[in-house]
Amino acid sequence: MSVESLFPRLEPVLPLVSKPIQYVGGELNASLKDWDSVAVRWALMYPDAYEVGLPNQGVQILYEILNERDWILAERTYAVFPDMEKVMREHDIPQFTVDAHRPVKAFDVLGVSFSTELGYTNLLTALDLAGVALHAVDRADDDPIVLVGGHASFNPEPIADFIDAAVLGDGEEIVLAISDIVREFREEGSPGGRLELLRRLVSTGGIYVPRFYDVDYDADGRIDAIVPNDAAAPDRVAKHTLMNLDEWPYPKNPLVPLAETVHERFSVEIFRGCTRGCRFCQAGMITRPVRERSLQSIGRMVEGGLEKSGLDEVGLLSLSSADHSEIGELATQLADRYEGTNTSLSLPSTRVDAFNISLANEFSRNGRRSGLTFAPEGGSERLRKVINKMVSEEDLIRTVAAAYSHGWRQVKLYFMCGLPTETDEDVLQIGELAKKVIDTGREVSGRKDIRCTVSIGGFVPKPHTPFQWAAQLDHESTDARLRKLRESVQSDKKYGRAIGFRYHDGKPGIVEGLLSRGDRRVGRVIEAVWRDGGRFDGWSEHFSYERWEAKSAEALAEFGVDLDWFTTRERGPEEILPWDHLDSGLDKDWLWEDWQDALDPDPVEVEDCRWTPCFDCGVCPSMDTDIQIGPTGKTLLPLSVV
Ligand code: SF4
């Protein structure tokens, strides 16, 4: 049955809302398909505003892969701003896709990509606006399957009540497998209804369906057991790993936004995964092993994407782009190819973990030398050993000296506060490092206008990392530590204005911590916060810590646990973690040993298995995968560049 466009109802209300262009669709390279000509229909959602969601690589890749099949249709939907939500409720307009403005409720699958847990309340808004029951168990047979992916899906327990299914890992192949299952099920006349479809999904072993697992708790609040309650459900659900990136060169036809977005460049993922082993880094841990894209494939993607989109900036994306085994060749060849054109090249990742100045010089050939960002993450050498960020002060100073002497005037240093074992002294070292950077810059450049910006984020322990057992630092202590740092730098007139500070208070990190390491009981908090008006929690102007604090106290009281229990409490080795049944491939014993190595008075460092023998993290044998990198014999200097 055909589904009508909602646009005739939407158009008259657009003048009433802010940034109406974000709801209009029709971007270059968007896809419009006839509803009745396909067998399976996906609504893909990035649970944030259009300006943040449109550039998202994951959504763009899946959108293109699905739409390439003539029997599948995929459209996009984003979180609507609160003013639009109000207007939609007043005019009875349901959550819609921006492509053909079809109601989300009419689709077979609503696929939601979560890169951050702070988007959870936006999922609830979208479901409610769509007319889809908030709780999975209350949904009707013809409601869409609400399926989540992205990094947050490695612990979807806090949203277990609201989703039908979750997939872990790379989405390229699994979205097609899911589409096949849905098509076959529909062709058979949907026997057994929604429950049977979910059973078919869970029986693949690679799709998690929370309702097929029971969670029991001990009297002290800890989890007693997580057990499947359906014969089709496996004990552990495995992540997906795409093993040949060259065979999946997406996006080929990048979407060109109509409205302003957070970045407007064509991004090419040059490799996936990272084995640097930074102990705080969930992205690195859950995307192992490293799989590189070949130079030829990257070259073709850059050329094709620029031609199809008209964009003039290329971002070479990955968790640590300067670590590509042929990054030097790649930089030189791309810079040669686009020299004298308007095309600029960048390494946009702040998690880049290797750097050399000739590389930065190549990337800036067509552009300005505005600023470079390095991420030592920890202020003191001791703390950098704890987090396994193997960069010495000497490395850092040598690199910034080279940068300043090659014409850069601005260096940005990224750190975290609240890392395990951290003391006030470790954080004060951040200021000392920044002062040395300024001294070095002034000395090598002979100039006074050298600047260094120190940017600090609060550390949030994440599932599937060696720090998953750690106590998170409470927000009062985080704020106090950062205040001391600021005072110590600003009191020194010699550097006062040369060093800038950027940091947020510690409160959003505590909520992120609750949502990252929470279990199913946290779903009550999310729902209570949403019912009280919580929206766009990743936006400081919308975020209310007081609301999360109050609702946590109310909703968790009956379970005998609270906000602190989920965040500032250290876990022991025997504790069953809410995500233990979700298999990232990492061996839990190895993670625990790595955590103990971090806590050692002389912390044990772990090398990158790209350049050293395998250290048995467990991923390759359990996932039947291998490291895929090009020829290389050396480690690049472990610093970061943006
Ligand atoms: S199993 Fe070995 S080679 Fe594979 S990612 Fe882990 S440490 Fe590296």
Side-chain angles (χ1 to χ4, degrees), residues 18-49:
S18 56
K19 299 189 182 176
I21 186 107
Q22 65 184 308
Y23 307 117
V24 171
E27 301 93 341
L28 181 64
N29 296 326
S31 171
L32 277 184
K33 282 187 168 179
D34 178 28
W35 185 264
D36 296 315
S37 68
V38 299
V40 179
R41 301 157 186 106
W42 286 71
L44 296 175
M45 179 177 194
Y46 191 82
D48 205 325

PDB file of all heavy atoms in Angstrom, residues 18-49:
ATOM      1  N   SER A  18      12.644  27.242  13.717  1.00  0.00           N
ATOM      2  CA  SER A  18      14.010  27.682  13.408  1.00  0.00           C
ATOM      3  C   SER A  18      14.655  26.717  12.405  1.00  0.00           C
ATOM      4  O   SER A  18      14.345  25.527  12.398  1.00  0.00           O
ATOM      5  CB  SER A  18      14.843  27.738  14.687  1.00  0.00           C
ATOM      6  OG  SER A  18      14.825  26.473  15.323  1.00  0.00           O
ATOM      7  N   LYS A  19      15.511  27.263  11.575  1.00  0.00           N
ATOM      8  CA  LYS A  19      16.252  26.494  10.568  1.00  0.00           C
ATOM      9  C   LYS A  19      15.363  25.505   9.801  1.00  0.00           C
ATOM     10  O   LYS A  19      15.625  24.284   9.780  1.00  0.00           O
ATOM     11  CB  LYS A  19      17.409  25.746  11.227  1.00  0.00           C
ATOM     12  CG  LYS A  19      18.423  26.667  11.908  1.00  0.00           C
ATOM     13  CD  LYS A  19      19.644  25.882  12.344  1.00  0.00           C
ATOM     14  CE  LYS A  19      20.632  26.779  13.070  1.00  0.00           C
ATOM     15  NZ  LYS A  19      21.789  26.086  13.606  1.00  0.00           N
ATOM     16  N   PRO A  20      14.294  25.985   9.172  1.00  0.00           N
ATOM     17  CA  PRO A  20      13.366  25.055   8.506  1.00  0.00           C
ATOM     18  C   PRO A  20      14.006  24.248   7.384  1.00  0.00           C
ATOM     19  O   PRO A  20      13.543  23.152   7.073  1.00  0.00           O
ATOM     20  CB  PRO A  20      12.275  25.982   7.961  1.00  0.00           C
ATOM     21  CG  PRO A  20      12.872  27.339   7.929  1.00  0.00           C
ATOM     22  CD  PRO A  20      13.863  27.382   9.033  1.00  0.00           C
ATOM     23  N   ILE A  21      15.085  24.766   6.808  1.00  0.00           N
ATOM     24  CA  ILE A  21      15.706  24.072   5.674  1.00  0.00           C
ATOM     25  C   ILE A  21      16.147  22.659   6.033  1.00  0.00           C
ATOM     26  O   ILE A  21      16.194  21.766   5.191  1.00  0.00           O
ATOM     27  CB  ILE A  21      16.903  24.904   5.118  1.00  0.00           C
ATOM     28  CG1 ILE A  21      17.481  24.294   3.837  1.00  0.00           C
ATOM     29  CG2 ILE A  21      18.005  25.047   6.134  1.00  0.00           C
ATOM     30  CD1 ILE A  21      17.143  25.052   2.623  1.00  0.00           C
ATOM     31  N   GLN A  22      16.424  22.435   7.346  1.00  0.00           N
ATOM     32  CA  GLN A  22      16.896  21.106   7.751  1.00  0.00           C
ATOM     33  C   GLN A  22      15.833  20.019   7.589  1.00  0.00           C
ATOM     34  O   GLN A  22      16.139  18.835   7.656  1.00  0.00           O
ATOM     35  CB  GLN A  22      17.383  21.138   9.197  1.00  0.00           C
ATOM     36  CG  GLN A  22      16.280  21.424  10.203  1.00  0.00           C
ATOM     37  CD  GLN A  22      16.812  21.557  11.612  1.00  0.00           C
ATOM     38  OE1 GLN A  22      17.532  20.699  12.092  1.00  0.00           O
ATOM     39  NE2 GLN A  22      16.475  22.656  12.272  1.00  0.00           N
ATOM     40  N   TYR A  23      14.586  20.415   7.382  1.00  0.00           N
ATOM     41  CA  TYR A  23      13.516  19.417   7.287  1.00  0.00           C
ATOM     42  C   TYR A  23      13.048  19.186   5.849  1.00  0.00           C
ATOM     43  O   TYR A  23      12.101  18.456   5.609  1.00  0.00           O
ATOM     44  CB  TYR A  23      12.316  19.857   8.148  1.00  0.00           C
ATOM     45  CG  TYR A  23      12.692  20.181   9.571  1.00  0.00           C
ATOM     46  CD1 TYR A  23      12.530  21.463  10.108  1.00  0.00           C
ATOM     47  CD2 TYR A  23      13.235  19.185  10.399  1.00  0.00           C
ATOM     48  CE1 TYR A  23      12.888  21.753  11.419  1.00  0.00           C
ATOM     49  CE2 TYR A  23      13.598  19.471  11.711  1.00  0.00           C
ATOM     50  CZ  TYR A  23      13.431  20.757  12.213  1.00  0.00           C
ATOM     51  OH  TYR A  23      13.792  21.038  13.506  1.00  0.00           O
ATOM     52  N   VAL A  24      13.725  19.832   4.895  1.00  0.00           N
ATOM     53  CA  VAL A  24      13.209  19.869   3.523  1.00  0.00           C
ATOM     54  C   VAL A  24      13.731  18.737   2.636  1.00  0.00           C
ATOM     55  O   VAL A  24      13.030  18.234   1.754  1.00  0.00           O
ATOM     56  CB  VAL A  24      13.545  21.256   2.898  1.00  0.00           C
ATOM     57  CG1 VAL A  24      13.236  21.271   1.433  1.00  0.00           C
ATOM     58  CG2 VAL A  24      12.756  22.342   3.619  1.00  0.00           C
ATOM     59  N   GLY A  25      14.972  18.280   2.856  1.00  0.00           N
ATOM     60  CA  GLY A  25      15.538  17.211   2.026  1.00  0.00           C
ATOM     61  C   GLY A  25      15.903  17.713   0.639  1.00  0.00           C
ATOM     62  O   GLY A  25      16.044  18.918   0.421  1.00  0.00           O
ATOM     63  N   GLY A  26      16.064  16.777  -0.292  1.00  0.00           N
ATOM     64  CA  GLY A  26      16.372  17.154  -1.672  1.00  0.00           C
ATOM     65  C   GLY A  26      17.840  17.484  -1.898  1.00  0.00           C
ATOM     66  O   GLY A  26      18.199  18.190  -2.840  1.00  0.00           O
ATOM     67  N   GLU A  27      18.740  16.965  -1.059  1.00  0.00           N
ATOM     68  CA  GLU A  27      20.168  17.229  -1.219  1.00  0.00           C
ATOM     69  C   GLU A  27      20.704  16.554  -2.479  1.00  0.00           C
ATOM     70  O   GLU A  27      20.158  15.547  -2.937  1.00  0.00           O
ATOM     71  CB  GLU A  27      20.969  16.680  -0.016  1.00  0.00           C
ATOM     72  CG  GLU A  27      20.586  17.236   1.329  1.00  0.00           C
ATOM     73  CD  GLU A  27      19.544  16.393   2.036  1.00  0.00           C
ATOM     74  OE1 GLU A  27      18.856  15.600   1.349  1.00  0.00           O
ATOM     75  OE2 GLU A  27      19.407  16.527   3.258  1.00  0.00           O
ATOM     76  N   LEU A  28      21.806  17.104  -2.980  1.00  0.00           N
ATOM     77  CA  LEU A  28      22.504  16.451  -4.083  1.00  0.00           C
ATOM     78  C   LEU A  28      22.922  15.058  -3.611  1.00  0.00           C
ATOM     79  O   LEU A  28      23.441  14.914  -2.498  1.00  0.00           O
ATOM     80  CB  LEU A  28      23.743  17.280  -4.471  1.00  0.00           C
ATOM     81  CG  LEU A  28      24.584  16.747  -5.630  1.00  0.00           C
ATOM     82  CD1 LEU A  28      23.788  16.749  -6.937  1.00  0.00           C
ATOM     83  CD2 LEU A  28      25.858  17.576  -5.791  1.00  0.00           C
ATOM     84  N   ASN A  29      22.662  14.061  -4.441  1.00  0.00           N
ATOM     85  CA  ASN A  29      22.961  12.645  -4.170  1.00  0.00           C
ATOM     86  C   ASN A  29      21.993  11.958  -3.195  1.00  0.00           C
ATOM     87  O   ASN A  29      22.248  10.822  -2.778  1.00  0.00           O
ATOM     88  CB  ASN A  29      24.409  12.438  -3.689  1.00  0.00           C
ATOM     89  CG  ASN A  29      25.405  12.815  -4.759  1.00  0.00           C
ATOM     90  OD1 ASN A  29      25.138  12.626  -5.949  1.00  0.00           O
ATOM     91  ND2 ASN A  29      26.531  13.381  -4.372  1.00  0.00           N
ATOM     92  N   ALA A  30      20.904  12.657  -2.837  1.00  0.00           N
ATOM     93  CA  ALA A  30      19.873  11.977  -2.035  1.00  0.00           C
ATOM     94  C   ALA A  30      19.128  11.007  -2.951  1.00  0.00           C
ATOM     95  O   ALA A  30      19.146  11.144  -4.177  1.00  0.00           O
ATOM     96  CB  ALA A  30      18.911  12.993  -1.436  1.00  0.00           C
ATOM     97  N   SER A  31      18.499  10.035  -2.337  1.00  0.00           N
ATOM     98  CA  SER A  31      17.844   8.998  -3.132  1.00  0.00           C
ATOM     99  C   SER A  31      16.330   9.016  -2.894  1.00  0.00           C
ATOM    100  O   SER A  31      15.877   9.087  -1.761  1.00  0.00           O
ATOM    101  CB  SER A  31      18.427   7.650  -2.706  1.00  0.00           C
ATOM    102  OG  SER A  31      17.702   6.614  -3.281  1.00  0.00           O
ATOM    103  N   LEU A  32      15.580   8.982  -3.984  1.00  0.00           N
ATOM    104  CA  LEU A  32      14.120   8.907  -3.885  1.00  0.00           C
ATOM    105  C   LEU A  32      13.650   7.693  -4.669  1.00  0.00           C
ATOM    106  O   LEU A  32      13.973   7.546  -5.838  1.00  0.00           O
ATOM    107  CB  LEU A  32      13.480  10.156  -4.490  1.00  0.00           C
ATOM    108  CG  LEU A  32      13.385  11.400  -3.608  1.00  0.00           C
ATOM    109  CD1 LEU A  32      12.643  12.499  -4.338  1.00  0.00           C
ATOM    110  CD2 LEU A  32      12.692  11.083  -2.279  1.00  0.00           C
ATOM    111  N   LYS A  33      12.917   6.841  -4.004  1.00  0.00           N
ATOM    112  CA  LYS A  33      12.462   5.626  -4.681  1.00  0.00           C
ATOM    113  C   LYS A  33      10.962   5.460  -4.527  1.00  0.00           C
ATOM    114  O   LYS A  33      10.368   5.934  -3.553  1.00  0.00           O
ATOM    115  CB  LYS A  33      13.162   4.411  -4.077  1.00  0.00           C
ATOM    116  CG  LYS A  33      14.583   4.212  -4.555  1.00  0.00           C
ATOM    117  CD  LYS A  33      15.081   2.878  -4.020  1.00  0.00           C
ATOM    118  CE  LYS A  33      16.374   2.474  -4.687  1.00  0.00           C
ATOM    119  NZ  LYS A  33      16.860   1.204  -4.143  1.00  0.00           N
ATOM    120  N   ASP A  34      10.416   4.724  -5.476  1.00  0.00           N
ATOM    121  CA  ASP A  34       8.999   4.423  -5.437  1.00  0.00           C
ATOM    122  C   ASP A  34       8.737   3.420  -4.296  1.00  0.00           C
ATOM    123  O   ASP A  34       9.386   2.371  -4.229  1.00  0.00           O
ATOM    124  CB  ASP A  34       8.589   3.838  -6.795  1.00  0.00           C
ATOM    125  CG  ASP A  34       7.126   3.461  -6.806  1.00  0.00           C
ATOM    126  OD1 ASP A  34       6.347   4.095  -6.067  1.00  0.00           O
ATOM    127  OD2 ASP A  34       6.760   2.511  -7.531  1.00  0.00           O
ATOM    128  N   TRP A  35       7.827   3.761  -3.415  1.00  0.00           N
ATOM    129  CA  TRP A  35       7.535   2.947  -2.224  1.00  0.00           C
ATOM    130  C   TRP A  35       7.119   1.520  -2.596  1.00  0.00           C
ATOM    131  O   TRP A  35       7.545   0.545  -1.994  1.00  0.00           O
ATOM    132  CB  TRP A  35       6.441   3.643  -1.422  1.00  0.00           C
ATOM    133  CG  TRP A  35       6.102   3.006  -0.101  1.00  0.00           C
ATOM    134  CD1 TRP A  35       5.077   2.127   0.151  1.00  0.00           C
ATOM    135  CD2 TRP A  35       6.779   3.203   1.144  1.00  0.00           C
ATOM    136  NE1 TRP A  35       5.074   1.782   1.467  1.00  0.00           N
ATOM    137  CE2 TRP A  35       6.109   2.426   2.113  1.00  0.00           C
ATOM    138  CE3 TRP A  35       7.874   3.964   1.532  1.00  0.00           C
ATOM    139  CZ2 TRP A  35       6.503   2.383   3.451  1.00  0.00           C
ATOM    140  CZ3 TRP A  35       8.266   3.922   2.871  1.00  0.00           C
ATOM    141  CH2 TRP A  35       7.593   3.138   3.806  1.00  0.00           C
ATOM    142  N   ASP A  36       6.276   1.430  -3.625  1.00  0.00           N
ATOM    143  CA  ASP A  36       5.697   0.119  -3.946  1.00  0.00           C
ATOM    144  C   ASP A  36       6.613  -0.781  -4.766  1.00  0.00           C
ATOM    145  O   ASP A  36       6.314  -1.956  -4.960  1.00  0.00           O
ATOM    146  CB  ASP A  36       4.372   0.307  -4.689  1.00  0.00           C
ATOM    147  CG  ASP A  36       3.361   0.997  -3.800  1.00  0.00           C
ATOM    148  OD1 ASP A  36       3.261   0.606  -2.626  1.00  0.00           O
ATOM    149  OD2 ASP A  36       2.700   1.948  -4.265  1.00  0.00           O
ATOM    150  N   SER A  37       7.722  -0.223  -5.244  1.00  0.00           N
ATOM    151  CA  SER A  37       8.576  -1.040  -6.110  1.00  0.00           C
ATOM    152  C   SER A  37       9.620  -1.831  -5.319  1.00  0.00           C
ATOM    153  O   SER A  37      10.426  -2.543  -5.894  1.00  0.00           O
ATOM    154  CB  SER A  37       9.289  -0.141  -7.124  1.00  0.00           C
ATOM    155  OG  SER A  37      10.228   0.669  -6.443  1.00  0.00           O
ATOM    156  N   VAL A  38       9.633  -1.672  -4.000  1.00  0.00           N
ATOM    157  CA  VAL A  38      10.661  -2.362  -3.210  1.00  0.00           C
ATOM    158  C   VAL A  38      10.019  -3.317  -2.203  1.00  0.00           C
ATOM    159  O   VAL A  38       8.827  -3.217  -1.892  1.00  0.00           O
ATOM    160  CB  VAL A  38      11.556  -1.350  -2.449  1.00  0.00           C
ATOM    161  CG1 VAL A  38      12.296  -0.432  -3.402  1.00  0.00           C
ATOM    162  CG2 VAL A  38      10.743  -0.550  -1.442  1.00  0.00           C
ATOM    163  N   ALA A  39      10.871  -4.232  -1.689  1.00  0.00           N
ATOM    164  CA  ALA A  39      10.361  -5.227  -0.740  1.00  0.00           C
ATOM    165  C   ALA A  39      10.650  -4.837   0.712  1.00  0.00           C
ATOM    166  O   ALA A  39       9.935  -5.235   1.630  1.00  0.00           O
ATOM    167  CB  ALA A  39      10.994  -6.587  -1.046  1.00  0.00           C
ATOM    168  N   VAL A  40      11.738  -4.084   0.927  1.00  0.00           N
ATOM    169  CA  VAL A  40      12.146  -3.742   2.297  1.00  0.00           C
ATOM    170  C   VAL A  40      12.461  -2.250   2.376  1.00  0.00           C
ATOM    171  O   VAL A  40      13.130  -1.698   1.499  1.00  0.00           O
ATOM    172  CB  VAL A  40      13.392  -4.571   2.714  1.00  0.00           C
ATOM    173  CG1 VAL A  40      13.837  -4.207   4.127  1.00  0.00           C
ATOM    174  CG2 VAL A  40      13.105  -6.063   2.628  1.00  0.00           C
ATOM    175  N   ARG A  41      11.977  -1.615   3.440  1.00  0.00           N
ATOM    176  CA  ARG A  41      12.140  -0.155   3.573  1.00  0.00           C
ATOM    177  C   ARG A  41      12.783   0.189   4.915  1.00  0.00           C
ATOM    178  O   ARG A  41      12.285  -0.219   5.966  1.00  0.00           O
ATOM    179  CB  ARG A  41      10.776   0.519   3.448  1.00  0.00           C
ATOM    180  CG  ARG A  41      10.103   0.205   2.118  1.00  0.00           C
ATOM    181  CD  ARG A  41       8.596   0.374   2.187  1.00  0.00           C
ATOM    182  NE  ARG A  41       7.950  -0.070   0.960  1.00  0.00           N
ATOM    183  CZ  ARG A  41       7.254  -1.209   0.857  1.00  0.00           C
ATOM    184  NH1 ARG A  41       7.113  -2.024   1.898  1.00  0.00           N
ATOM    185  NH2 ARG A  41       6.690  -1.531  -0.284  1.00  0.00           N
ATOM    186  N   TRP A  42      13.868   0.927   4.846  1.00  0.00           N
ATOM    187  CA  TRP A  42      14.603   1.348   6.051  1.00  0.00           C
ATOM    188  C   TRP A  42      14.461   2.852   6.258  1.00  0.00           C
ATOM    189  O   TRP A  42      14.647   3.628   5.308  1.00  0.00           O
ATOM    190  CB  TRP A  42      16.100   1.094   5.887  1.00  0.00           C
ATOM    191  CG  TRP A  42      16.566  -0.321   5.978  1.00  0.00           C
ATOM    192  CD1 TRP A  42      16.364  -1.307   5.064  1.00  0.00           C
ATOM    193  CD2 TRP A  42      17.363  -0.896   7.029  1.00  0.00           C
ATOM    194  NE1 TRP A  42      16.976  -2.467   5.471  1.00  0.00           N
ATOM    195  CE2 TRP A  42      17.606  -2.242   6.677  1.00  0.00           C
ATOM    196  CE3 TRP A  42      17.897  -0.413   8.224  1.00  0.00           C
ATOM    197  CZ2 TRP A  42      18.359  -3.102   7.485  1.00  0.00           C
ATOM    198  CZ3 TRP A  42      18.650  -1.269   9.018  1.00  0.00           C
ATOM    199  CH2 TRP A  42      18.864  -2.605   8.652  1.00  0.00           C
ATOM    200  N   ALA A  43      14.201   3.253   7.489  1.00  0.00           N
ATOM    201  CA  ALA A  43      14.385   4.656   7.882  1.00  0.00           C
ATOM    202  C   ALA A  43      15.670   4.676   8.700  1.00  0.00           C
ATOM    203  O   ALA A  43      15.797   3.930   9.674  1.00  0.00           O
ATOM    204  CB  ALA A  43      13.213   5.142   8.723  1.00  0.00           C
ATOM    205  N   LEU A  44      16.639   5.460   8.274  1.00  0.00           N
ATOM    206  CA  LEU A  44      17.911   5.545   9.002  1.00  0.00           C
ATOM    207  C   LEU A  44      17.932   6.834   9.801  1.00  0.00           C
ATOM    208  O   LEU A  44      17.693   7.912   9.248  1.00  0.00           O
ATOM    209  CB  LEU A  44      19.089   5.534   8.019  1.00  0.00           C
ATOM    210  CG  LEU A  44      19.260   4.264   7.188  1.00  0.00           C
ATOM    211  CD1 LEU A  44      20.389   4.442   6.174  1.00  0.00           C
ATOM    212  CD2 LEU A  44      19.552   3.053   8.084  1.00  0.00           C
ATOM    213  N   MET A  45      18.219   6.715  11.083  1.00  0.00           N
ATOM    214  CA  MET A  45      18.198   7.907  11.926  1.00  0.00           C
ATOM    215  C   MET A  45      19.553   8.174  12.557  1.00  0.00           C
ATOM    216  O   MET A  45      20.192   7.264  13.085  1.00  0.00           O
ATOM    217  CB  MET A  45      17.166   7.748  13.045  1.00  0.00           C
ATOM    218  CG  MET A  45      17.137   8.960  13.963  1.00  0.00           C
ATOM    219  SD  MET A  45      15.890   8.878  15.247  1.00  0.00           S
ATOM    220  CE  MET A  45      15.917  10.595  15.786  1.00  0.00           C
ATOM    221  N   TYR A  46      19.981   9.427  12.498  1.00  0.00           N
ATOM    222  CA  TYR A  46      21.067   9.861  13.371  1.00  0.00           C
ATOM    223  C   TYR A  46      20.387  10.711  14.443  1.00  0.00           C
ATOM    224  O   TYR A  46      19.754  11.729  14.116  1.00  0.00           O
ATOM    225  CB  TYR A  46      22.138  10.662  12.618  1.00  0.00           C
ATOM    226  CG  TYR A  46      23.346  10.856  13.497  1.00  0.00           C
ATOM    227  CD1 TYR A  46      24.293   9.856  13.613  1.00  0.00           C
ATOM    228  CD2 TYR A  46      23.482  11.991  14.272  1.00  0.00           C
ATOM    229  CE1 TYR A  46      25.368   9.989  14.484  1.00  0.00           C
ATOM    230  CE2 TYR A  46      24.556  12.135  15.144  1.00  0.00           C
ATOM    231  CZ  TYR A  46      25.494  11.125  15.241  1.00  0.00           C
ATOM    232  OH  TYR A  46      26.547  11.258  16.108  1.00  0.00           O
ATOM    233  N   PRO A  47      20.492  10.306  15.731  1.00  0.00           N
ATOM    234  CA  PRO A  47      19.636  10.922  16.748  1.00  0.00           C
ATOM    235  C   PRO A  47      20.150  12.271  17.248  1.00  0.00           C
ATOM    236  O   PRO A  47      20.273  12.510  18.451  1.00  0.00           O
ATOM    237  CB  PRO A  47      19.626   9.880  17.861  1.00  0.00           C
ATOM    238  CG  PRO A  47      20.938   9.184  17.715  1.00  0.00           C
ATOM    239  CD  PRO A  47      21.299   9.214  16.267  1.00  0.00           C
ATOM    240  N   ASP A  48      20.449  13.141  16.327  1.00  0.00           N
ATOM    241  CA  ASP A  48      20.835  14.505  16.672  1.00  0.00           C
ATOM    242  C   ASP A  48      20.295  15.379  15.545  1.00  0.00           C
ATOM    243  O   ASP A  48      19.717  14.876  14.571  1.00  0.00           O
ATOM    244  CB  ASP A  48      22.366  14.614  16.793  1.00  0.00           C
ATOM    245  CG  ASP A  48      22.778  15.768  17.708  1.00  0.00           C
ATOM    246  OD1 ASP A  48      22.079  16.804  17.705  1.00  0.00           O
ATOM    247  OD2 ASP A  48      23.791  15.645  18.421  1.00  0.00           O
ATOM    248  N   ALA A  49      20.510  16.696  15.671  1.00  0.00           N
ATOM    249  CA  ALA A  49      19.980  17.607  14.654  1.00  0.00           C
ATOM    250  C   ALA A  49      20.627  17.334  13.285  1.00  0.00           C
ATOM    251  O   ALA A  49      21.727  16.777  13.204  1.00  0.00           O
ATOM    252  CB  ALA A  49      20.256  19.045  15.078  1.00  0.00           C
TER     253      ALA A  49
END
